[in-house]
């Protein structure tokens, strides 16, 4: 008779198998840290063969990059859907961005802090992580494009700094140092106050 585990492996689509492997990898990061996160260890923990894990990620760096990408998806889909119907004001947009970003961190779970450190220590994943931060900064810029003069060169630097500050606030939330409500309020105020200053300066220049 066929072993039930083998039968279950066959029933999962490639996308569902990848989802399962990512979830197991996140659980490993939360429970054991990043040192033991290898494709061989992931395969064993997930109950699949090593070739299956290698087929999905190629290497440990590939796994870290896939995990980084996975953590960003919730923010992008949640924020962009709500921003399309948002009032064109800095407070309203700040509230949506802050809420979506914190909820993204909650969805990613406590593993996100460990993942960021592991990615920074890996040359391939570090490049991907920094590209992801740039993508988030660009996403912030798009969110506020209707209320700010996006031709200002300093805005790019400001949004990069705001992403770094947002990540620090979210780290406090995922480590249970602050509540979700406090994290959202803190990030909302940070965005609103920082960008209100730019808006005022833009008006003065004009």
């Amino acid at each position: 008779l066929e072993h039930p585990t083998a039968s279950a492996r066959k029933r999962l689509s490639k996308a569902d198998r990848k989802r399962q492997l990512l979830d197991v990898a996140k659980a490993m990061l939360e429970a054991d840290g990043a040192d033991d996160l290898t494709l061989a260890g992931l395969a064993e923990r997930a109950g699949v063969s090593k070739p299956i894990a290698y087929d999905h990620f190629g290497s440990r760096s590939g796994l870290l990059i896939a995990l980084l990408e996975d953590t960003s998806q919730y923010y992008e889909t949640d924020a962009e859907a709500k921003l399309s119907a948002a009032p064109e004001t800095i407070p309203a947009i700040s509230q949506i961005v802050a809420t979506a970003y914190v909820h993204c961190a909650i969805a990613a779970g406590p593993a996100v802090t460990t993942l960021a450190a592991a990615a920074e220590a890996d040359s391939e994943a570090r490049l991907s992580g920094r590209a992801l931060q740039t993508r988030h900064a660009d996403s912030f810029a798009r969110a506020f494009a209707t209320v700010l003069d996006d031709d200002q060169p300093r805005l790019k630097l400001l949004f990069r700094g705001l992403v770094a500050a947002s990540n620090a606030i979210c780290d406090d939330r995922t480590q249970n140092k602050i509540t979700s409500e406090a994290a959202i309020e803190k990030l909302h105020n940070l965005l609103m106050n920082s960008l209100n200053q730019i808006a005022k300066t833009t008006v003065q220049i004009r």
Side-chain angles (χ1 to χ4, degrees):
L1 292 176
E2 188 175 35
H3 192 281
T5 303
S7 178
R9 282 201 294 265
K10 290 180 181 179
R11 284 198 298 268
L12 285 181
S13 67
K14 188 164 186 176
D16 288 342
R17 177 63 66 197
K18 184 177 181 180
R19 177 72 267 157
Q20 181 221 9
L21 291 172
L22 288 171
D23 289 342
V24 172
K26 284 170 62 177
M28 291 174 69
L29 284 173
E30 290 177 19
D32 307 318
D35 291 343
D36 295 330
L37 184 63
T38 63
L39 291 186
L42 173 60
E44 181 180 0
R45 188 74 64 90
V48 301
S49 64
K50 290 181 187 178
I52 289 177
Y54 278 91
D55 179 55
H56 280 282
F57 306 112
S59 65
R60 183 176 187 272
S61 296
L63 173 59
L64 292 174
I65 291 168
L67 285 164
L68 286 170
E69 287 287 336
D70 192 55
T71 62
S72 72
Q73 289 180 359
Y74 181 92
Y75 167 73
E76 292 171 352
T77 56
D78 188 46
E80 288 176 8
K82 293 176 180 174
L83 284 168
S84 63
E88 293 184 359
T89 66
I90 288 177
I93 297 170
S94 295
Q95 185 67 41
I96 291 171
V97 170
T99 302
Y101 211 80
V102 171
H103 284 175
C104 176
I106 295 169
V112 70
T113 303
T114 305
L115 172 61
E120 189 63 25
D122 181 284
S123 58
E124 289 182 49
R126 179 166 61 248
L127 291 174
S128 181
R130 291 180 181 175
L132 192 58
Q133 289 185 355
T134 299
R135 196 167 92 195
H136 283 171
D138 291 342
S139 179
F140 276 26
R142 287 195 304 273
F144 290 96
T146 58
V147 292
L148 295 175
D149 179 4
D150 60 3
D151 291 331
Q152 294 183 82
R154 61 178 170 163
L155 270 181
K156 287 188 176 180
L157 291 176
L158 175 61
F159 281 122
R160 287 180 185 178
L162 287 172
V163 166
S166 300
N167 290 340
I169 292 170
C170 288
D171 282 347
D172 284 346
R173 170 60 192 91
T174 56
Q175 295 173 40
N176 291 319
K177 294 180 180 178
I178 56 177
T179 65
S180 298
E181 293 76 12
I184 290 170
E185 182 180 5
K186 191 173 183 179
L187 181 50
H188 172 245
N189 288 335
L190 172 68
L191 292 169
M192 190 170 58
N193 293 335
S194 300
L195 296 174
N196 270 335
Q197 286 299 114
I198 292 292
K200 288 177 183 176
T201 304
T202 302
V203 171
Q204 289 169 4
I205 290 172
R206 288 175 176 175

